[in-house]
Amino acid sequence: MSLLIYAESAEGKFKKVAFELASYAKKVAESLGTTVTAVTVNASDVSELSKYGVDKVLKVTNDKLATFNAKAYADVIKQAAQKEGAKVIVLSSTTDSIYLAPLVAVGLEAGYTSNVVGLPLSTSPFQVKRNAFSNKAFTITEISTDVKVLGLAKNSYGLVESSSSLSTEDFSPSLNDADFNVKVESVEKVSGKVTIADAEVVVSGGRGLKGPENWALVEDLAAVLGAATACSKPVSDLGWRPHSEHVGQTGKPVATNLYIAIGISGAIQHIAGINSSKVKVVINSDPEAPFFKVADYGVVGDAFEIVPKLTQKLKEFKAQNS
């Protein structure tokens, strides 16, 4: 009996969350006296998982799974769990895995809890700490089912290297043709940029930037910090930026190490979606902007004066320390 994780990948390469998941699972497996098995889908090189404590990889390679399909992927994970006799299955909190986890839980008749933010407080009974009420509080949840599915909140554990001797096995689960009735016509991919999903730092802009022609302020600062760019809902609704960059409760939730908001007043839905970020910085000309109440650091002033100076100072700092 091993602990099973689903190690997400994109275009054959593992996402950062896969390594955080492996790090977390290794520690949980030690407390349970078991090993860690990862199931991968169309991942090219799985050896890097051994750096984070994975003992075994079930490699699934199938062209039908080239595009994400929630039902089919959930069935793959379910069959992998049954094959390994896994009693604990851990998934991340990416958009794909949030969709997958309930389907996996139903398929295995398992209890499921999302937004887990730490190692189990107890394994008998099995209790975990999780975010609740849009990250405004914590709850202690007990899972009493024989099989348990956990959804680990992003950036809640971090990367912890723990070398292991990795074995690999080709795994060919049965696929249900009915799961592929929905066809994907096209997928838009962003290349050459840090994605919001993988970013440690996000620089986000709002209507305070006055128009899409001023977005270089956000992009220049993001480039210096190696950050992803994002925006508030009104900005994407106005068509200044693509909806894929909209972060918040109604967009993409983020839990970065640093979140910089430029010209964003701080609507409740936006705050709820970024509240898990560890350090929040706001730059706004309105001292009464709601964002200041939740920010760790705030700068009251004109973003068109402050941001270019900040970007230049960071460039100078990097040059001196390179």
Side-chain angles (χ1 to χ4, degrees):
M1 181 192 78
S2 65
L3 184 153
L4 181 76
I5 67 169
Y6 165 51
E8 288 190 48
S9 59
E11 298 181 348
K13 297 181 179 180
F14 287 116
K15 299 179 181 179
K16 173 180 170 284
V17 292
F19 304 129
E20 181 175 25
L21 212 62
S23 302
Y24 175 83
K26 177 63 175 179
K27 199 66 178 179
V28 177
E30 288 177 351
S31 67
L32 295 172
T34 187
T35 57
V36 179
T37 297
V39 57
T40 66
V41 177
N42 294 333
S44 52
D45 180 11
V46 302
S47 61
E48 199 169 1
L49 288 174
S50 66
K51 289 171 56 178
Y52 301 96
V54 174
D55 301 288
K56 179 180 179 181
V57 174
L58 296 179
K59 292 182 62 177
V60 178
T61 305
N62 193 311
D63 289 342
K64 293 181 72 173
L65 299 171
T67 300
F68 177 74
N69 179 306
K71 287 186 176 180
Y73 274 51
D75 202 29
V76 167
I77 297 168
K78 182 190 79 171
Q79 291 179 55
Q82 291 172 332
K83 177 183 182 301
E84 295 298 301
K87 298 298 183 182
V88 178
I89 298 94
V90 188
L91 293 93
S92 65
S93 291
T94 64
T95 302
D96 287 354
S97 284
I98 287 174
Y99 197 171
L100 281 174
L103 296 172
V104 173
V106 170
L108 293 170
E109 297 183 353
Y112 164 56
T113 187
S114 60
N115 295 324
V116 175
V117 294
L119 296 169
L121 302 176
S122 167
T123 56
S124 182
F126 199 94
Q127 295 178 330
V128 291
K129 182 179 179 181
R130 59 185 297 271
N131 280 327
F133 303 112
S134 298
N135 303 318
K136 294 184 179 68
F138 297 109
T139 65
I140 306 302
T141 300
E142 181 176 322
I143 309 176
S144 58
T145 50
D146 183 43
V147 181
K148 303 161 182 65
V149 177
L150 308 181
L152 182 67
K154 183 184 174 185
N155 275 343
S156 61
Y157 191 75
L159 304 185
V160 181
E161 292 193 11
S162 177
S163 297
S164 62
S165 179
L166 186 70
S167 65
T168 62
E169 178 183 332
D170 291 331
F171 179 49
S172 301
S174 59
L175 300 178
N176 186 348
D177 289 339
D179 290 340
F180 297 90
N181 288 336
V182 176
K183 301 296 182 182
V184 176
E185 293 290 337
S186 64
V187 177
E188 293 184 9
K189 295 180 180 179
V190 177
S191 60
K193 292 184 178 181
V194 180
T195 65
I196 293 173
D198 293 330
E200 298 284 346
V201 180
V202 167
V203 179
S204 190
R207 280 186 295 182
L209 289 177
K210 300 180 180 179
E213 66 276 6
N214 297 318
W215 219 255
L217 285 177
V218 173
E219 292 172 331
D220 290 347
L221 180 56
V224 175
L225 293 171
T229 60
C231 68
S232 62
K233 185 177 186 299
V235 166
S236 62
D237 287 345
L238 288 166
W240 295 0
R241 301 300 296 172
H243 284 283
S244 59
E245 291 190 9
H246 164 207
V247 297
Q249 191 174 36
T250 55
K252 291 181 178 178
V254 294
T256 54
N257 289 327
L258 174 62
Y259 182 82
I260 302 176
I262 304 171
I264 298 176
S265 61
I268 293 173
Q269 294 86 350
H270 188 86
I271 298 299
I274 62 90
N275 211 31
S276 289
S277 293
K278 293 177 181 176
V279 177
K280 296 175 281 293
V281 177
V282 58
I283 301 170
N284 202 298
S285 59
D286 179 10
E288 301 300 320
F291 216 129
F292 284 109
K293 296 179 180 179
V294 299
D296 298 284
Y297 301 95
V299 181
V300 178
D302 186 348
F304 293 95
E305 294 181 6
I306 294 168
V307 177
K309 291 179 181 179
L310 175 60
T311 302
Q312 183 59 36
K313 288 293 184 182
L314 287 168
K315 286 180 179 178
E316 293 171 1
F317 177 80
K318 289 183 71 174
Q320 293 170 1
N321 292 272
S322 59

